[in-house]
Structures are given as structure tokens and as C-alpha cells.
Amino acid sequence: MKIAHAFDRFSKLSARFSGRPLAFTSAVAIIMAWLLTGPLFGFSDTWQLVINTATTVITFLMVFLIQNTQSRDTEAIQIKLDELIRVTEAASNGLMDLEELDEATLDDYRRKYELMARQSRAK
């Protein structure tokens, strides 16, 4: 469980940092430094491989960090929405776990609510 907690903490910090202007500026600076070293290394295959490998590895790792952050945020939002449904007297508590239903059942609910919306607009 310590590993999961450490990963959650790391992914939160990484997501916060990677979304900041400093992270973008740093990435641009790294690319510029790489471009400027091109003539020094004769624009060699190794020079190109360095940036290709670095960006591939970073992209691969970021996919997991983004997925972790997105999953956690989605789950938190879902819990908040469930609570709003629960405390709203006129709401249907059966809607609280829609994300757990199969696609066909979700489509049935979607059609039902689309019909209700059309009927409401028609009034």
C-alpha cells in the first residue's frame, strides 16, 4: 500500500508541475538546447536519437501519470455527484451508480432523459 500511496502523491505533484508555465518553458528550453547542439554533433543519427528517445520515454510515462490523475479526479467528481443526487429530494437515487451499468442500460437512460429534455423544451 505504501507504493500506491507514493505513486498517488508522485502523480499529483507531477500533474501539477507539468501543467504549469515553468514546465512548458523548461521543455522549450530543452528543445532549443538540443537544436543548438545540432551543428556541434553534425546533426548525427545519435543526436537525433537522443531527442527521439527522451520524448518517447517521457510520453510513455506521462500516459500513466495522466491516467492516474484523471481516474482519481473522475472518481471524486462521481462521488460528489452521487451525494448531490442523494440529498436532492426529487432526484432518483437509482442514478447514483450509472457508471457501473452496461452500455445498453446507459443508452436506455440516455434516451429517457433526452426525451424528457425535448418534452421540457416543447412546453
Side-chain angles (χ1 to χ4, degrees):
M1 204 58 169
K2 286 184 178 184
I3 292 174
H5 179 69
F7 179 72
D8 281 347
R9 186 176 153 107
F10 176 74
S11 67
K12 285 179 194 175
L13 292 172
S14 297
R16 286 187 188 126
F17 173 74
S18 63
R20 299 249 195 292
L22 178 60
F24 179 77
T25 305
S26 299
V28 170
I30 290 169
I31 298 298
M32 294 304 294
W34 172 77
L35 284 171
L36 293 173
T37 61
L40 180 67
F41 293 104
F43 299 102
S44 68
D45 289 343
T46 304
W47 173 79
Q48 292 178 35
L49 187 63
V50 166
I51 198 69
N52 290 337
T53 303
T55 55
T56 300
V57 168
I58 290 168
T59 301
F60 179 75
L61 295 174
M62 286 302 292
V63 166
F64 294 101
L65 292 175
I66 291 167
Q67 182 61 46
N68 176 272
T69 302
Q70 184 177 9
S71 295
R72 189 178 48 254
D73 289 349
T74 300
E75 190 171 339
I77 289 169
Q78 195 59 54
I79 292 168
K80 292 173 184 179
L81 289 172
D82 287 348
E83 177 63 7
L84 290 173
I85 292 169
R86 188 188 68 79
V87 300
T88 303
E89 203 167 303
S92 170
N93 286 345
L95 299 176
M96 288 175 48
D97 67 347
L98 286 180
E99 70 279 3
E100 302 299 328
L101 300 177
D102 60 76
E103 198 67 30
T105 307
L106 283 174
D107 288 341
D108 290 341
Y109 272 104
R110 186 176 3 268
R111 281 190 290 277
K112 175 184 170 186
Y113 280 93
E114 286 172 351
L115 176 62
M116 289 169 57
R118 281 193 302 274
Q119 290 171 343
S120 179
R121 285 190 296 268
K123 291 181 181 180

